[in-house]
Amino acid sequence: MSRSALAPAWRTATARPRLLLAAKTAVAVGIAWAVGPHMPGTTDDYPYYAPLGALISMYPTLMGSARTGLQTLLGLVAGIGLAAVAMLTVGPTWWSIPLVVGIGVLLSGTGWFGAGREYVPMAALFVLIIGGSRAESFSLGYLAQMGVGVAIGLAVNFVVAPAVTSRAAEARVGELEREIAEHLHDVGQALSEPWPPEHEAWSRGSDRLAATSASVRQALADGAESRKGNPRALWRKHDPSDGAERLEVLDTVLFHVRDITGALTDTIWGRHGALTFDPVLAAPLAEACHGVADTVDRGDATEAERHRAVGRAARSVRQLVTIVDARTLADGSSMGPGVLCAMHLRRILLHLQPVGPTRF
């Protein structure tokens, strides 16, 4: 790993939520290890499975912990069931053990067991090989100790509830708005340079925006999950649906922005399939890009300011469309990046307008 990648990875690993999760995991494993030897009956012969159960149940969200723990136990039950069938019929032999493990792998691929899918063949293998003549007591001890560990992990995760991240995730939607707006401003700035523009940085920005959008979507999903079953969410009332709706609009906007960038990039550097760009359109297209960019970045603007920004952008796009129409008639051709960009900018405004139809 390069030094440039090492620093962000270390910051992520040592971030406060991760440190809290590490501390809770250590506490849960310690408690499970202390409780395991005191289980009733023969289950106390297998205390080492309790810490394992606690470990697998620790997850950044409460719902994730509960789901992972339950799915793991279901996987164990399925694997133990497969091993029980083998023990009651042919017993553990050179051919029955790999056969049972193979069936377990097939079952794990059904998607029924989620995070516990790997434990289906594993549990079957453990029961047949480690359990042996004591397969019944081993199975009981294995399942009971894992269940105790999972319960301890869930309890620790509930008592020290993880943070609710929905607000932080929604703030990232605002960051994406600003990045898209900055990219449109960069495109407008490039169009304002002597044609063809020399610098290339703006032409690579759309791929970065797509990666950012995917990251924000995941953050919103994690934020919504962090609220489920979390006691902290009871006194932090917040509807995360607004962020998801804004991101849906931004994804549509991003599609149009990427197509604008691609068309202009192909034209400027003469790539295969590029269409000829009319230099007369550079100035009105630049103005339209700047205007639309101002409507994408909501920032702290009031509703009235947003209306005015949409109005200014609508006028600049309308002027661009008028010029494109005139040049199309003069040249006798409707093909060109100017037409495409005008259509995309108009579509962006239709998605972003706050109220009522805006006429172009």
Side-chain angles (χ1 to χ4, degrees):
M1 181 180 292
S2 63
R3 289 186 177 181
S4 59
L6 184 60
W10 177 249
R11 284 196 298 270
T12 300
T14 56
R16 184 176 177 181
R18 198 69 186 175
L19 291 175
L20 178 61
L21 179 63
K24 290 193 297 184
T25 302
V27 170
V29 166
I31 295 174
W33 178 244
V35 171
H38 302 289
M39 292 288 291
T42 59
T43 57
D44 66 350
D45 292 336
Y46 311 99
Y48 37 84
Y49 288 117
L52 178 60
L55 177 62
I56 63 174
S57 68
M58 297 306 294
Y59 199 79
T61 64
L62 281 172
M63 187 57 64
S65 291
R67 181 172 54 247
T68 300
L70 179 59
Q71 290 173 342
T72 299
L73 294 179
L74 289 175
L76 289 177
V77 169
I80 291 172
L82 285 176
V85 171
M87 293 296 296
L88 293 173
T89 53
V90 297
T93 66
W94 66 269
W95 61 269
S96 63
I97 293 176
L99 177 62
V100 169
V101 170
I103 295 173
V105 171
L106 290 177
L107 277 178
S108 69
T110 61
W112 298 339
F113 305 99
R117 60 186 178 274
E118 304 301 335
Y119 284 88
V120 179
M122 187 184 302
L125 182 65
F126 282 6
V127 171
L128 292 174
I129 293 181
I130 301 177
S133 59
R134 301 182 60 194
E136 184 177 348
S137 63
F138 175 81
S139 299
L140 179 61
Y142 187 13
L143 187 58
Q145 292 282 9
M146 287 286 285
V148 167
V150 168
I152 290 173
L154 290 175
V156 170
N157 218 4
F158 183 82
V159 171
V160 187
V164 176
T165 60
S166 55
R167 287 189 181 276
E170 193 163 319
R172 294 199 59 194
V173 178
E175 294 175 6
L176 178 60
E177 288 177 339
R178 287 189 290 275
E179 289 186 22
I180 294 176
E182 288 173 3
H183 178 75
L184 274 175
H185 280 305
D186 288 342
V187 173
Q189 182 61 37
L191 289 166
S192 301
E193 298 175 355
W195 190 263
E198 295 181 358
H199 75 279
E200 306 179 16
W202 63 274
S203 66
R204 297 187 296 269
S206 60
D207 292 335
R208 173 179 51 80
L209 289 173
T212 301
S213 176
S215 174
V216 172
R217 182 172 297 280
Q218 184 60 53
L220 284 174
D222 292 341
E225 174 126 331
S226 72
R227 300 185 62 83
K228 297 177 181 178
N230 195 329
R232 292 193 183 189
L234 296 177
W235 60 83
R236 292 189 180 182
K237 301 294 183 181
H238 174 61
D239 183 8
S241 61
D242 179 56
E245 292 172 359
R246 287 166 60 194
L247 182 60
E248 289 298 328
V249 173
L250 288 177
D251 277 342
T252 304
V253 169
L254 184 54
F255 162 77
H256 294 294
V257 169
R258 296 189 73 187
D259 209 25
I260 290 172
T261 305
L264 291 176
T265 300
D266 291 345
T267 298
I268 291 169
W269 285 285
R271 295 174 181 171
H272 179 69
L275 298 170
T276 303
F277 183 77
D278 185 350
V280 174
L281 300 178
L285 179 55
E287 184 178 351
C289 285
H290 288 305
V292 173
D294 290 337
T295 68
V296 174
D297 185 7
R298 304 195 322 175
D300 297 325
T302 64
E303 199 65 29
E305 290 172 335
R306 292 172 189 166
H307 277 277
R308 286 193 291 271
V310 170
R312 289 193 298 270
R315 286 190 294 274
S316 64
V317 171
R318 188 163 52 245
Q319 181 181 9
L320 171 63
V321 171
T322 300
I323 297 175
V324 166
D325 286 343
R327 299 298 295 180
T328 297
L329 291 174
D331 296 340
S333 173
S334 60
M335 293 291 287
V339 176
L340 179 68
C341 293
M343 292 174 61
H344 279 309
L345 290 172
R346 184 177 183 277
R347 293 296 299 166
I348 291 174
L349 277 186
L350 288 173
H351 285 289
L352 291 175
Q353 61 182 353
V355 290
T358 301
R359 300 205 174 271
F360 300 99

